[in-house]
């Protein structure tokens, strides 16, 4: 189960992500927002992050205008490792090295073509399980 959260700046791109997850047959829970009306991104970051931190969802995808505010907010929730990624290399590396459990993107930064590739890489790349990465993640916690 994938937790989704966005603000008005990310709403349009999130609709593309939702269509893509449905095409892939992946289950998701949408924690909002639900339109392009102006809202406060910390509300949706927290709702989706809580779902991941509690184990209700395995991973999450967050989108705001830049991806910055929503990732900062999600990372305040203990147990959340939200990675802001706008390229495929970072999306792969953050799964392998950081075991990131939430992906954040900015809809005003990248287009849907790249965003959906990043989503696929983030969802499909396993954690390396290397001792040094496990140690470093433990140090963050
Ligand atoms: C909303 O205008 C914008 O500030 C928000 O989507 C995000 O970019 C914040 O980091």
């Amino acid at each position: 189960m994938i937790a989704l959260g966005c603000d008005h700046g990310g709403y349009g791109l999130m609709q593309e992500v939702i269509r893509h997850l449905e095409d892939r047959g992946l289950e998701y829970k949408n924690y909002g927002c639900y339109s392009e009306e102006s809202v406060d991104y910390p509300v949706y970051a927290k709702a989706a992050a809580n779902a991941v931190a509690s184990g209700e969802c395995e991973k999450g995808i967050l989108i705001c205008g830049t991806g910055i505010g929503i990732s900062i907010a999600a990372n305040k929730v203990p147990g959340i490792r939200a990675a802001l990624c706008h390229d495929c290399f970072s999306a792969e590396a953050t799964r392998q090295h950081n075991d990131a459990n939430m992906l954040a993107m900015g809809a005003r930064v990248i287009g849907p073509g790249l965003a959906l590739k990043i989503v696929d890489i983030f969802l499909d790349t396993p954690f390396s399980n290397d001792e040094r990465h496990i140690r470093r993640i433990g140090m963050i916690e």
Side-chain angles (χ1 to χ4, degrees):
M1 186 67 69
I2 301 161
L4 305 180
C6 70
D7 74 354
H8 53 287
Y11 177 79
L13 181 56
M14 187 59 91
Q15 304 320 298
E16 307 253 7
V17 169
I18 287 172
R19 271 193 290 277
H20 185 66
L21 297 178
E22 287 175 353
D23 286 348
R24 286 192 52 174
L26 297 173
E27 288 192 313
Y28 59 85
K29 277 194 181 176
N30 189 358
Y31 291 88
C33 67
Y34 305 104
S35 78
E36 285 179 341
E37 190 183 322
S38 184
V39 292
D40 300 323
Y41 59 79
V43 171
Y44 305 95
K46 190 175 175 189
N50 281 340
V52 174
S54 71
E56 193 181 336
C57 295
E58 297 104 60
K59 285 183 185 152
I61 299 173
L62 301 167
I63 308 178
C64 68
T66 59
I68 298 170
I70 207 159
S71 59
I72 291 172
N75 277 314
K76 296 291 182 190
V77 175
I80 292 303
R81 293 179 300 282
L84 175 59
C85 298
H86 290 134
D87 67 273
C88 296
F89 177 83
S90 300
E92 184 178 47
T94 198
R95 286 291 310 128
Q96 292 170 335
H97 292 209
N98 316 120
D99 197 16
N101 49 16
M102 299 194 87
L103 167 68
M105 298 183 291
R108 297 174 186 159
V109 182
I110 54 171
L114 178 55
L116 297 183
K117 269 206 175 308
I118 289 171
V119 164
D120 283 341
I121 291 168
F122 180 79
L123 295 178
D124 297 341
T125 303
F127 178 48
S128 66
N129 259 308
D130 287 347
E131 190 278 328
R132 68 185 191 286
H133 294 311
I134 293 170
R135 183 180 70 246
R136 290 164 189 161
I137 291 165
M139 290 170 76
I140 296 172
E141 300 302 327

